[in-house]
Amino acid sequence: MPITVVGSIAYDAVKTPFGERERMLGGAAVHFALAASFFEEVRVVGPVGDDFGESQLEVMRRRGVDVSDIERVTGGKTFFWRGEYGWDLNSRETLDTQLGVFEGFQPKLSQRSRESDVLFLANIVPDLQIEVREQLPDARFVALDSMNLWIDIARDQLVKAIESVDCLILNDAELRQLTGKPNLVSAARDVLAWGTQGSGSARDGSAAGRRGPSVIVAKQGEYGAALVTREGFFALPAYPLETVIDPTGAGDTFAGGFVGYIAAHPDQGLSGDLLHRAMAHGTALASFNVEEFGTERIERLSGEEIVARVQQLSEMTHFNGAPLKLRG
Ligand code: AMP
């Protein structure tokens, strides 16, 4: 089922211990769309300036991404982000963020984008996420990502946006920051209790008539990702790579694999099995993303490579849980 995504479409300047790029294609919506395009048709909504190149649009088109709702703002500048990573790639400093054309942007979604069954509100100012959410009131599955910047400067609006979705995908530390809970599981449980009673339809059968997140994914960088629902907990490590070149966009690429897999299996509800497989596909996609700068690796990724890596992940995370005799 087609997916609509709104979020940053960007030029990124990135420096890692392994090299740098001064102006590469980036943005949360772009990383998400390229990853999700392996599963479903993706429609990207957002503005770019007239500095945005045709070749960047072509990167998305080549993966079958519908770019017709990417609006070119005459005289405007494309969203720009500059970041630098520490020696082990675990720490990242944002050196510059220029919203450019996103400032004051009013999303105008085509009929096609409004008809998508699945919506991903990628990282961008929460007011914009809310506006787009309101334009797809009947979407079957809506997920949202955000970041510390918006928790710091627009927390109330972000909470409102989160209350309107089915799934929250956030960095581990940001989930703790958002809820003020130092423990990951209790932080996730807090968010599972958000939302409104009585409006919308029950999607997980556990709380009739309730709207609000029923799936929480905490991204943990090189340690993988954890999934918390009202029914249980699941976690996967990151795929073990010997060489990581640039982690930029790993989270959005994970989200593209995760949400893309869910969109491609509408008949399976939000069962535990489906969510676990979606986690594996998100993890596999993210691992390819970090092998090279920006979108470089995903641009020439094949479906066969994804299938093989998911298989390897499955093998390396299975173990025999047969009871062992303990002393005492
Ligand atoms: P990730 O590494 O998954 O956190 O995503 C990095 C991507 O997010 C980059 O391509 C940036 O262009 C984009 N980005 C960085 N800061 C922001 C922001 N404040 N709002 C929206 N997108 C952002």
Side-chain angles (χ1 to χ4, degrees):
M1 300 228 168
I3 306 166
T4 290
V5 55
V6 62
S8 52
I9 302 162
Y11 276 125
D12 288 346
V14 171
K15 189 170 178 186
T16 83
F18 306 101
E20 53 191 298
R21 294 285 186 277
E22 194 44 42
R23 202 166 160 79
M24 65 182 181
L25 174 62
V30 172
H31 284 289
F32 173 91
L34 293 176
S37 71
F38 284 93
F39 305 92
E40 272 300 341
E41 186 192 328
V42 186
R43 299 154 184 173
V44 181
V45 175
V48 293
D50 38 24
D51 55 342
F52 198 72
E54 192 51 35
S55 60
Q56 275 74 38
L57 286 175
E58 204 45 43
V59 167
M60 290 183 263
R61 284 197 200 103
R62 270 200 300 273
R63 287 251 13 108
V65 173
D66 182 344
V67 296
S68 51
D69 273 358
I70 294 184
E71 194 185 322
R72 197 180 280 278
V73 180
T74 316
K77 287 201 83 175
T78 300
F79 181 102
F80 177 76
W81 176 75
R82 180 183 295 279
E84 188 170 336
Y85 291 82
W87 73 283
D88 65 356
L89 297 172
N90 275 330
S91 60
R92 170 169 94 184
E93 200 186 342
T94 290
L95 300 174
D96 195 6
T97 302
Q98 294 172 21
L99 288 181
V101 286
F102 272 97
E103 219 136 14
F105 172 66
Q106 300 278 316
K108 293 180 253 351
L109 274 67
S110 62
Q111 192 55 31
R112 232 171 124 64
S113 290
R114 285 168 192 257
E115 279 168 8
S116 291
D117 219 40
V118 172
L119 171 64
F120 185 62
L121 303 169
N123 179 24
I124 198 65
V125 57
D127 274 334
L128 188 48
Q129 294 178 313
I130 293 169
E131 276 182 55
V132 173
R133 173 69 181 105
E134 284 169 355
Q135 295 188 41
L136 280 91
D138 300 323
R140 178 179 68 85
F141 182 72
V142 185
L144 176 147
D145 188 9
S146 192
M147 70 183 295
N148 56 351
L149 173 69
W150 309 119
I151 303 173
D152 288 338
I153 68 170
R155 188 180 181 281
D156 289 352
Q157 288 305 90
L158 177 58
V159 169
K160 191 174 161 205
I162 293 169
E163 286 177 342
S164 76
V165 304
D166 305 291
C167 171
L168 174 65
I169 303 176
L170 211 56
N171 283 345
D172 180 325
E174 289 161 352
L175 186 59
R176 297 172 209 258
Q177 182 192 352
L178 176 69
T179 56
K181 285 270 164 75
N183 175 283
L184 175 68
V185 178
S186 64
R189 294 249 172 257
D190 261 22
V191 180
L192 287 172
W194 293 1
T196 52
Q197 304 284 339
S199 59
S201 57
R203 288 169 305 275
D204 64 357
S206 62
R210 178 177 191 291
R211 274 223 91 101
S214 59
V215 177
I216 313 292
V217 177
K219 296 176 284 179
Q220 300 171 305
E222 69 165 322
Y223 304 108
L227 169 86
V228 186
T229 63
R230 290 188 196 91
E231 290 74 38
F233 179 89
F234 179 74
L236 277 182
Y239 180 83
L241 289 170
E242 273 188 46
T243 312
V244 174
I245 299 294
D246 171 24
T248 307
D252 310 305
T253 305
F254 171 91
F258 180 79
V259 174
Y261 190 86
I262 291 172
H265 298 86
D267 50 326
Q268 295 183 23
L270 287 181
S271 70
D273 267 1
L274 174 90
L275 293 174
H276 301 170
R277 283 197 293 270
M279 290 276 288
H281 284 79
T283 300
L285 261 305
S287 74
F288 286 112
N289 180 74
V290 304
E291 287 179 353
E292 292 177 26
F293 274 94
T295 60
E296 290 167 12
R297 179 67 177 98
I298 301 291
E299 283 179 42
R300 50 180 178 73
L301 182 63
S302 71
E304 292 75 39
E305 290 175 298
I306 299 171
V307 170
R309 200 162 274 190
V310 167
Q311 190 56 39
Q312 287 175 304
L313 267 170
S314 166
E315 283 159 19
M316 65 181 66
T317 53
H318 263 93
F319 68 97
N320 182 348
L324 167 84
K325 284 207 183 79
L326 300 175
R327 292 175 71 210

